[in-house]
Amino acid sequence: MMRHIKKSAASILMLLVPLLFHSTASGKTIYSVGFDYRKAVPSSVYFAGKSHKEVDHLCETGEHASTADIAACSQRDYEIIFAKLKSKIKSLEDGFKKDDAELKAEDNPIASPYFEKGQNAWIEFRDNQCYAETYSLGEASMRYMTFWDCMARITRERLDDLDSAKD
């Protein structure tokens, strides 16, 4: 009976050892793999259970903040500025569509398709720029902070551009 147990244990161990070494030998961490920001869980989920005031304090001061906290604060900043951009885009699109009706009636080219193409090109530029800045760090714990800070920075610049272009 003892020999059967030893033999079974040895068989199980032989099956598990390659699995254990494969998973640990690969050395992959959350900082060494690609990610898709569009699949990211909203920062509100990360901060669930904290009051708005607590989150504001943590994000503004960084007091007692972990790396994950700071990354979530960076993501939150992006989400806030992106919401403003979406509102601005909607307002501009409505204006273009209204103006396009007059242009079309006078048999002139319309603007809204070009605005849409420009916005799509800008999104592609922003995403590529931020992934490049982030992945250039390699396997760094500040990877997500860098990514969300880049997204917020470039989105803020876009919002400023759209504000000044319409003035």
Side-chain angles (χ1 to χ4, degrees):
M1 176 77 165
M2 186 64 138
R3 187 182 306 187
H4 179 66
I5 292 172
K6 284 183 181 178
K7 197 172 186 180
S8 295
S11 298
I12 291 171
L13 193 57
M14 286 175 44
L15 289 172
L16 290 178
V17 167
L19 293 174
L20 292 172
F21 280 108
H22 175 71
S23 62
T24 57
S26 69
K28 295 291 182 191
T29 71
I30 63 167
Y31 304 116
S32 61
V33 294
F35 67 99
D36 183 349
Y37 76 91
R38 293 168 295 224
K39 295 178 183 174
V41 175
S43 63
S44 59
V45 172
Y46 180 84
F47 292 119
K50 292 189 186 318
S51 72
H52 189 69
K53 186 177 178 177
E54 289 173 312
V55 175
D56 285 346
H57 178 75
L58 177 71
C59 291
E60 288 168 13
T61 66
E63 190 174 307
H64 306 294
S66 68
T67 302
D69 292 339
I70 296 169
C73 287
S74 295
Q75 180 180 354
R76 177 179 173 254
D77 291 344
Y78 165 72
E79 291 165 349
I80 291 167
I81 195 68
F82 186 67
K84 291 176 184 175
L85 178 66
K86 280 176 52 175
S87 177
K88 181 68 171 180
I89 295 293
K90 173 79 171 102
S91 173
L92 289 170
E93 285 175 336
D94 291 347
F96 279 124
K97 287 177 183 173
K98 182 181 164 219
D99 293 345
D100 282 353
E102 288 179 32
L103 292 169
K104 194 172 187 176
E106 295 172 7
D107 205 26
N108 288 313
I110 59 175
S112 58
Y114 295 98
F115 179 74
E116 185 179 325
K117 286 178 187 179
Q119 185 60 23
N120 289 336
W122 173 81
I123 289 169
E124 185 175 355
F125 159 76
R126 180 202 59 198
D127 292 1
N128 287 331
Q129 182 65 33
C130 292
Y131 279 123
E133 287 181 23
T134 300
Y135 292 153
S136 72
L137 297 172
E139 193 173 344
S141 63
M142 59 190 270
R143 173 185 256 194
Y144 297 106
M145 290 177 274
T146 299
F147 180 79
W148 293 116
D149 287 346
C150 177
M151 293 288 281
R153 182 187 79 242
I154 294 176
T155 301
R156 194 172 290 109
E157 291 168 359
R158 176 67 171 162
L159 187 57
D160 291 344
D161 282 348
L162 292 175
D163 283 340
S164 65
K166 202 62 177 167
D167 291 338

